[in-house]
Amino acid sequence: MLRNYLKIAQRNLWKSKGYSALNIGGLVMGMAAAMLILLWVQHEATFDQFHTKRDRLYMAGNQTVINGETQTWFFTPQPLGPALTSEIPEVLRTSRQLELGASVLLRVGENRQLPRGYVVDSTFLSMFDLPLLVGNKKAALHNPSDIVITAALAERLFGDTDVLGKTIQLDTAKLAIVTGVLADIPDNSRFRDIDYLVPYAFFEQLGYADSFWGNNSVTTYVELAPTSSGEAMNRKIRDIAQRHSKDVKGTEVFLHPLRDWWLRSHFENGQIAGGRIEQVRLFAIIAGFILLIACINFMNLSTARSEKRAREVGVRKVAGAKQGSIIRQFLCESTLLAAVAGVLAIGIIQLALPAFNTLVERQLVIDFTSVHFWLYFTGFILLTGLLAGSYPAFFLSLFNPVAVLKGSFRKSQSAVTLRKVLVVAQFTIAIILIVSTVVVLRQIQYGKERENGYDRSHIIYLLEQGEMAKNIQLIRQELQDAGIAESVTRTLSPITEAWSNTWGIGWSGKNPEDKTVFDRLFADEHVVRTMGLKLVEGRDLDPATYPTDSAAALLNESAVKAMGFADPIGQIITDNGRNWQVVGVVKDFILGSPFSPVTPTVIEGAHGFFNVLHIRFNPDLGTAEALRKTEDVLKRHNPDYPFTYTFVDEAYAQKFAETQRTGTLATLFAGLTILISCLGLFGLAAYMAENRTKEIGVRKVLGASVFSITKLLSIEFVVLVLIACLVAFPVAYWAADRFLQDFSYRISPGWEVFMLSGLGALFLAVATVSTQAIRAALANPVESLRDE
């Protein structure tokens, strides 16, 4: 029987090639888009879930009440891990992690690399299932001179992966021995950027370790005993930091489970308030909508052609076929179509994956060797086939054979039919996605147009490495004397990032309960000139003219407001036990997100810590020439390190990368949704024009114009799209408003967004239908009425 069903299905496909192509085309696009999205959803949902101890692994976090609201952060003091291990029996292991970034030069002979490194405790590899190709997990990071590298880094440094026991020079002095080689770390892991690991003992040996409980500088991972629970541990360790130091009064420690690290790490007032899970859910819903729209196309085209299949159903019923066998036949047809579409969709996905991976910055692949993939793919085909074919199957199987064979079969003339409802549903979804896309893009543009408070042009920054700090005055002098740079400034962090903040800033008259958080930026000299900050009052940091400026500070306007200064110049503020005299006030500038309020910021002078060198180029010098000459200067004074730099304007643009990616994906899928909807509308319009050929001929003979006939054939679809607008707009407004709540600095979705989206959908629908309507209206009536 199944063979018979397949044979009938094949014949019907070949008999109506045009409609089969439309059906398959819509399903292919819908299935390919849905599967691409679901690949990404699966990748995000399984982030870090490959660790066998995932149910017992946690990340330590801190919480404290600041000005009435509980703040949460996941950098912890360095002594927290050892304290948890020694004082809490339920804690089996802890490991600290500190990112070195690409700051340490690794050298083998003349081969020099700046890979991304991390400092971890010796227990790290025993806690996490990072694939170690060679080496002993328990002993690989035991000694200060140990280093574990990835296979990719081994290839770059040595040319092969058989490197156990070989030495690597770190920076210009330290030698490390390779004690382990890691296989490629899965892309869906927070550790995917690791190139090498060095033990915390190495960090201590360099003199960078500290035992201050007020310095939150490392990530602390915790492994609990199998019988312990996170909730019980939270009650037990809550005050561990306060027990060790009075400097962290009010700070509570808690454990955040591994299963929530990636998807649920956004906290509001001390409680989990979502995170990436919201984006994952959003795109899963979009995948479902796109597939649903493709299935609606199938339903509409199948039921629209019901008269073509009516006699077949009547004959089969007279011959004794039961309703169930007819339903199975039509479901078999829809499943066959879905299978053909699924195979074609896989081909499209394989072609689109490289571009899609670039867009989402992931390494998604289809594992054709996986049994799970084929099970999911088969289930996906069956689901699509049943979803697309269910209504047509039941609709066609209910035909009365007597009425059909007597020629008295008539389609419903009701004002409301399921087909019309489905068209409205299609365009409702499409309009919601169009509105959402426009809102996302306008929000991105709104952030880009926001005044950032400094001049981003002609500035680069470099991380201070090797001999740069020792030779900084020579480097600065040569850059300025040669006319390469207008100004050079050392800072704690890039002007585009905040690497340090504190609520410990003090000033005269401060309320003891005030815990306002200040961003902290250290700078040695001429920071206003180099960054292009706007000075409101006072002056720039200039220790050459004012020797006491090593203990001077600048405030932004938000900091002045937070401190309540009427006349800030000359005021004394305190930080880390040192007094700083305010010598200038600058306009607010953006260190963090361009969508968030500006944080009160203090720029402290030359007694601070420096990691970054900013260079403002001479604008009269071409960029390429300025870079070449700067490289020459640095090669003379820091010869062992490559010249690596970042343009400040490019770094600032990266702040929009995540939102821009969401906007691009939304645009892509909204366009695909409207395309699939119009494809179905095209098929319906073509079939409607075909069925009304004689009516159109009569009207033309009686004097009807092309415009009036086009209007007649299009008006029904225009009404349906207008109804879809009325349904979509409230839902789209709710969705847009919810999206915008994540941004403190945001637009409001005005009426023009909805009007333009509705007009756009209406124009596309009319254009799609009109192609068929005009074609029918231009046909010679003699041809359609010849046999009358």
Side-chain angles (χ1 to χ4, degrees):
M1 187 61 73
L2 179 61
R3 184 178 176 183
N4 184 49
Y5 290 158
L6 291 172
K7 187 177 292 186
I8 293 172
Q10 183 184 9
R11 286 173 179 170
N12 279 303
L13 286 178
W14 284 111
K15 184 179 178 182
S16 305
K17 295 184 180 66
Y19 287 99
S20 297
L22 280 177
N23 267 332
I24 291 175
L27 284 176
V28 166
M29 286 189 285
M31 294 173 76
M35 283 193 281
L36 265 179
I37 297 171
L38 292 176
L39 268 177
W40 178 83
V41 168
Q42 186 263 349
H43 180 277
E44 300 297 291
T46 57
F47 225 86
D48 279 322
Q49 299 305 305
F50 60 88
H51 302 290
T52 55
K53 298 176 182 178
R54 58 185 174 273
D55 293 330
R56 297 192 281 127
L57 292 173
Y58 295 80
M59 184 192 303
N62 290 309
Q63 290 185 335
T64 192
V65 177
I66 297 177
N67 296 335
E69 185 173 335
T70 302
Q71 301 292 330
T72 303
W73 66 97
F74 287 99
F75 284 108
T76 55
Q78 294 181 36
L80 175 62
L84 288 171
T85 306
S86 61
E87 298 174 22
I88 311 296
E90 294 88 346
V91 174
L92 294 186
R93 298 179 185 88
T94 62
S95 177
R96 292 160 290 192
Q97 176 190 290
L98 178 70
E99 183 178 354
L100 295 173
S103 61
V104 178
L105 184 73
L106 272 61
R107 181 160 61 181
V108 175
E110 293 303 311
N111 187 353
R112 298 166 183 167
Q113 301 286 334
L114 275 173
R116 296 183 67 85
Y118 289 80
V119 175
V120 295
D121 280 301
S122 59
T123 53
F124 181 79
L125 292 174
S126 298
M127 296 171 65
F128 297 99
D129 292 330
L130 300 185
L132 198 64
L133 294 177
V134 290
N136 185 319
K137 282 190 173 186
K138 295 182 178 179
L141 293 169
H142 183 71
N143 298 311
S145 59
D146 291 344
I147 186 171
V148 173
I149 63 177
T150 62
L153 180 58
E155 289 283 355
R156 283 154 54 193
L157 285 171
F158 297 98
D160 61 59
T161 57
D162 184 19
V163 296
L164 209 63
K166 293 185 178 180
T167 59
I168 299 173
Q169 185 173 322
L170 305 183
D171 277 338
T172 56
K174 300 287 182 182
L175 288 178
I177 300 172
V178 178
T179 53
V181 178
L182 290 167
D184 292 338
I185 298 170
D187 185 55
N188 59 342
S189 171
R190 69 183 289 110
F191 306 118
R192 64 189 181 279
D193 292 333
I194 288 177
D195 287 319
Y196 67 92
L197 300 170
V198 290
Y200 191 78
F202 166 78
F203 193 61
E204 291 177 314
Q205 199 175 68
L206 294 177
Y208 294 144
D210 72 62
S211 58
F212 178 44
W213 282 81
N215 180 18
N216 295 296
S217 57
V218 299
T219 302
T220 301
Y221 301 115
V222 179
E223 179 188 339
L224 297 183
T227 56
S228 301
S229 74
E231 290 183 7
M233 285 302 302
N234 283 339
R235 292 190 292 270
K236 196 167 186 177
I237 68 172
R238 181 176 293 136
D239 63 344
I240 188 168
Q242 298 179 65
R243 294 201 302 265
H244 282 268
S245 174
K246 61 183 180 182
D247 294 320
V248 291
K249 180 182 178 182
T251 299
E252 296 182 348
V253 177
F254 73 101
L255 300 181
H256 190 49
L258 178 147
R259 65 177 179 272
D260 291 335
W261 289 357
W262 184 249
L263 296 178
R264 298 175 180 85
S265 285
H266 175 60
F267 282 72
E268 289 182 2
N269 202 24
Q271 300 297 319
I272 293 178
R276 287 186 180 90
I277 187 64
E278 294 172 359
Q279 191 179 34
V280 170
R281 286 172 180 160
L282 171 65
F283 281 103
I285 291 170
I286 289 174
F289 279 161
I290 291 174
L291 185 62
L292 178 61
I293 285 174
C295 291
I296 287 174
N297 271 359
F298 185 96
M299 295 179 195
N300 279 341
L301 290 174
S302 297
T303 55
R305 300 183 63 247
S306 56
E307 284 189 29
K308 300 286 186 183
R309 306 295 298 272
R311 288 186 179 276
E312 175 194 340
V313 172
V315 171
R316 288 174 63 84
K317 281 196 170 185
V318 169
K322 302 293 183 184
Q323 183 181 354
S325 67
I326 294 173
I327 290 173
R328 285 193 293 274
Q329 176 197 328
F330 286 114
L331 287 178
C332 184
E333 286 187 23
S334 65
T335 304
L336 177 62
L337 271 173
V340 173
V343 172
L344 294 175
I346 288 290
I348 289 175
I349 289 172
Q350 288 295 95
L351 293 174
L353 260 180
F356 188 72
N357 282 337
T358 301
L359 178 60
V360 299
E361 295 187 350
R362 297 286 184 269
Q363 294 301 315
L364 307 178
V365 294
I366 297 177
D367 184 4
F368 291 105
T369 63
S370 169
V371 175
H372 289 97
F373 165 75
W374 291 110
L375 289 174
Y376 289 138
F377 181 65
T378 303
F380 186 71
I381 294 293
L382 292 174
L383 173 65
T384 305
L386 293 174
L387 183 62
S390 56
Y391 173 65
F394 284 98
F395 177 80
L396 293 168
S397 68
L398 290 174
F399 286 167
N400 185 333
V402 176
V404 168
L405 295 177
K406 286 174 69 176
S408 57
F409 169 77
R410 292 287 183 273
K411 293 187 290 180
S412 171
Q413 299 300 317
S414 171
V416 179
T417 64
L418 183 58
R419 193 183 313 139
K420 292 177 181 178
V421 171
L422 292 176
V423 171
V424 169
Q426 273 189 314
F427 275 89
T428 297
I429 295 170
I431 292 165
I432 290 171
L433 289 177
I434 291 171
V435 171
S436 301
T437 300
V438 173
V439 168
V440 171
L441 295 178
R442 286 189 64 191
Q443 174 64 17
I444 294 169
Q445 191 60 33
Y446 189 64
K448 287 181 176 180
E449 292 173 355
R450 182 183 181 185
E451 175 58 47
N452 70 321
Y454 57 91
D455 182 3
R456 302 190 297 269
S457 60
H458 307 298
I459 311 180
I460 64 168
Y461 68 80
L462 309 84
L463 296 180
E464 289 194 356
Q465 299 166 327
E467 303 295 309
M468 282 179 66
K470 186 176 76 173
N471 296 323
I472 191 64
Q473 293 304 332
L474 292 173
I475 293 170
R476 192 196 311 265
Q477 195 67 43
E478 281 196 36
L479 289 172
Q480 292 177 329
D481 288 349
I484 301 168
E486 283 191 342
S487 183
V488 179
T489 301
R490 301 174 73 197
T491 58
L492 169 69
S493 65
I495 188 63
T496 55
E497 301 175 33
W499 288 2
S500 177
N501 57 38
T502 179
W503 66 75
I505 301 289
W507 63 88
S508 177
K510 179 182 179 180
N511 185 334
E513 300 301 318
D514 188 339
K515 282 191 172 182
T516 299
V517 176
F518 291 80
D519 282 336
R520 182 197 283 130
L521 186 69
F522 297 115
D524 62 347
E525 63 179 62
H526 303 307
V527 64
V528 173
R529 185 200 307 173
T530 303
M531 308 305 178
L533 297 171
K534 296 178 175 62
L535 203 61
V536 176
E537 57 181 307
R539 58 177 175 78
D540 199 351
L541 297 178
D542 186 4
T545 306
Y546 306 94
T548 57
D549 271 10
S550 59
L554 304 175
L555 305 178
N556 71 349
E557 293 172 308
S558 293
V560 173
K561 184 178 178 180
M563 294 175 180
F565 290 152
D567 183 14
I569 304 302
Q571 297 282 352
I572 302 297
I573 63 173
T574 61
D575 184 25
N576 279 336
R578 184 184 291 274
N579 290 339
W580 304 87
Q581 185 179 33
V582 178
V583 298
V585 176
V586 297
K587 286 187 71 66
D588 283 342
F589 60 96
I590 299 172
L591 272 176
S593 168
F595 302 112
S596 298
V598 173
T599 305
T601 304
V602 177
I603 304 174
E604 298 172 356
H607 280 315
F609 306 97
F610 304 111
N611 297 305
V612 180
L613 185 69
H614 287 82
I615 302 171
R616 174 171 289 280
F617 287 140
N618 180 350
D620 296 331
L621 201 63
T623 302
E625 185 180 1
L627 288 171
R628 180 180 57 77
K629 290 183 175 181
T630 301
E631 182 176 12
D632 291 341
V633 171
L634 288 168
K635 282 294 182 186
R636 285 195 293 274
H637 298 290
N638 193 33
D640 290 327
Y641 281 75
F643 176 54
T644 55
Y645 59 89
T646 302
F647 281 99
V648 167
D649 55 356
E650 292 178 358
Y652 189 81
Q654 278 299 111
K655 293 175 181 287
F656 301 93
E658 188 68 29
T659 313
Q660 188 80 55
R661 190 175 302 118
T662 301
T664 304
L665 289 171
T667 303
L668 176 65
F669 295 131
L672 191 59
T673 301
I674 199 76
L675 175 62
I676 296 172
S677 299
C678 288
L679 194 65
L681 211 57
F682 179 85
L684 285 177
Y687 192 74
M688 176 190 66
E690 179 186 330
N691 277 358
R692 300 177 71 174
T693 301
K694 286 184 171 55
E695 177 193 342
I696 294 168
V698 171
R699 288 179 180 274
K700 288 196 73 174
V701 169
L702 295 175
S705 65
V706 172
F707 175 77
S708 64
I709 292 173
T710 302
K711 177 183 174 183
L712 174 71
L713 297 178
S714 304
I715 192 66
E716 177 183 331
F717 296 103
V718 171
V719 170
L720 294 179
V721 174
L722 290 175
I723 293 171
C725 288
L726 294 176
V727 176
F729 287 165
V731 179
Y733 181 85
W734 171 83
D737 185 65
R738 182 163 181 176
F739 166 76
L740 292 170
Q741 292 306 311
D742 291 336
F743 303 95
S744 300
Y745 187 80
R746 58 179 181 263
I747 63 169
S748 59
W751 62 269
E752 70 278 2
V753 171
F754 299 91
M755 185 186 73
L756 291 173
S757 300
L759 287 175
L762 188 62
F763 171 78
L764 290 171
V766 170
T768 302
V769 173
S770 295
T771 57
Q772 290 299 315
I774 293 171
R775 180 183 173 190
L778 291 173
N780 189 344
V782 174
E783 297 297 326
S784 60
L785 300 175
R786 188 187 299 277
D787 58 347
E788 292 299 324

